[in-house]
Amino acid sequence: MQNRENGGLAYDSTGEGRAVLLLHAFPLSRTMWDPQVEALAATHRALRFDAAGFGDSPPRDGPLTVDRIADDAVRLLDHLGIETTVVCGLSMGGYAALAFARRHPRRLEGLVLADTRAVPDTEEERRRRYALIEQVRERGPSAVLIAMMSKMVGTTTHRERAPLVARIRERILAASPEAIERALQGLAERPDAVPELAEIRVPTRVFCGTEDGITPMSEAEALVRAIPDARLIPIPRAGHLANLENPDRFNAELLRFLRELDASGPAGT
Ligand code: MLT
């Protein structure tokens, strides 16, 4: 579905109940949340959209910053007449979820930060991102596969789940080089979110694949220490894409969190 109020970004909304907005990782699209949308649909309203340039969304000028993703999320909520939501973001989606918490705290009911971190890129990481932009210009999205695929999923997935690895590779190769470039710029320049973690006032769960080699458990633990009402949820037998690598556990923990939120009051309170 295209949402013109949202700059034409593609989105879908599935089910009824408390809204749960799902923000996708780099360089994937909203389809990465298929297993979660299926699990949520009976009890919740799952919302997801493709960040500009990814999936079915048209590109936009300038870097795809995490602030822009957060503001696009709020435009989608406005378009749908939704006042408040739980936000669940994985990796780049988690950076955007933190930007959402900082820029739109009154729209937030609960937060799930999955396989992500609050610290900005180091100089070295920033240099690597700009080098990757050059490689993507020369070779296309396969440069991202070479740079990231070994760490994109955990060792268990590499060993035991060849079809899932193949699907993720296909999705990375299908990403637009222009979108990849704009997102890499946005990722390289994302702000330090650490100083605002103490200001997060909503219940928060920090999910992390125990085999995550991109945003490892130490980053998740740092988030839990800094956010006042946060709990760590390790996802076993999963790496960086924990929602795809161990969807049963991820979904069970997500639904448990949502039930806890329901027990503490209806949506919008
Ligand atoms: C992601 O999965 O969104 C990326 O790994 C984020 C990053 O490279 O920092």
Side-chain angles (χ1 to χ4, degrees):
M1 221 181 299
Q2 301 293 113
N3 168 19
R4 290 210 182 78
E5 306 303 311
N6 198 25
L9 299 188
Y11 74 92
D12 47 67
S13 162
T14 312
E16 299 293 329
R18 188 191 290 275
V20 183
L21 175 68
L22 302 160
L23 300 175
H24 69 77
F26 166 87
L28 301 176
S29 71
R30 72 193 198 280
T31 58
M32 72 167 258
W33 294 114
D34 286 349
Q36 284 66 49
V37 169
E38 200 180 313
L40 290 172
T43 47
H44 291 83
R45 183 172 187 181
L47 306 170
R48 54 183 175 163
F49 68 97
D50 289 331
F54 290 97
D56 299 321
S57 286
R60 277 211 215 114
D61 288 345
L64 178 66
T65 64
V66 295
D67 286 2
R68 286 181 98 180
I69 299 173
D71 293 353
D72 284 335
V74 166
R75 265 189 287 279
L76 176 59
L77 296 180
D78 290 344
H79 173 68
L80 297 172
I82 297 171
E83 193 52 38
T84 58
T85 184
V86 175
V87 175
C88 169
L90 188 141
S91 197
M92 177 177 81
Y95 308 153
L98 287 169
F100 187 109
R102 169 169 48 87
R103 293 167 76 82
H104 308 287
R106 279 191 290 277
R107 311 296 294 268
L108 193 61
E109 289 175 5
L111 193 56
V112 177
L113 300 169
D115 299 285
T116 195
R117 58 187 158 178
V119 289
D121 276 9
T122 61
E123 272 313 311
E124 174 58 28
E125 284 163 341
R126 214 166 279 151
R127 263 198 301 278
R128 272 208 300 272
R129 297 221 199 250
Y130 284 105
L132 185 53
I133 288 175
E134 292 305 318
Q135 292 157 17
V136 170
R137 283 181 187 159
E138 283 164 26
R139 265 184 262 149
S142 63
V144 177
L145 270 189
I146 294 165
M148 291 181 70
M149 193 58 212
S150 65
K151 288 192 172 173
M152 207 67 184
V153 295
T155 49
T156 304
T157 298
H158 275 298
R159 198 175 55 238
E160 297 178 11
R161 301 179 195 121
L164 175 60
V165 174
R167 272 206 311 282
I168 294 166
R169 290 173 65 94
E170 267 168 37
R171 290 180 191 186
I172 293 176
L173 288 174
S176 123
E178 185 187 349
I180 290 173
E181 176 170 343
R182 293 183 193 287
L184 284 169
Q185 289 166 350
L187 289 169
E189 304 308 329
R190 73 183 189 282
D192 182 0
V194 174
E196 293 125 28
L197 296 178
E199 306 305 319
I200 294 176
R201 293 282 170 255
V202 294
T204 300
R205 295 293 177 270
V206 180
F207 287 33
C208 187
T210 54
E211 301 170 10
D212 189 337
I214 294 182
T215 47
M217 198 56 87
S218 55
E219 300 285 7
E221 287 164 353
L223 287 167
V224 171
R225 277 196 301 274
I227 299 173
D229 181 5
R231 207 176 298 160
L232 182 64
I233 310 288
I235 306 293
R237 296 170 58 78
H240 189 58
L241 296 177
N243 73 307
L244 289 170
E245 294 178 67
N246 191 345
D248 290 349
R249 185 61 167 269
F250 194 102
N251 294 345
E253 295 291 356
L254 183 56
L255 286 166
R256 186 206 308 268
F257 177 47
L258 294 169
R259 275 196 303 273
E260 286 167 9
L261 285 178
D262 290 343
S264 62
T269 56

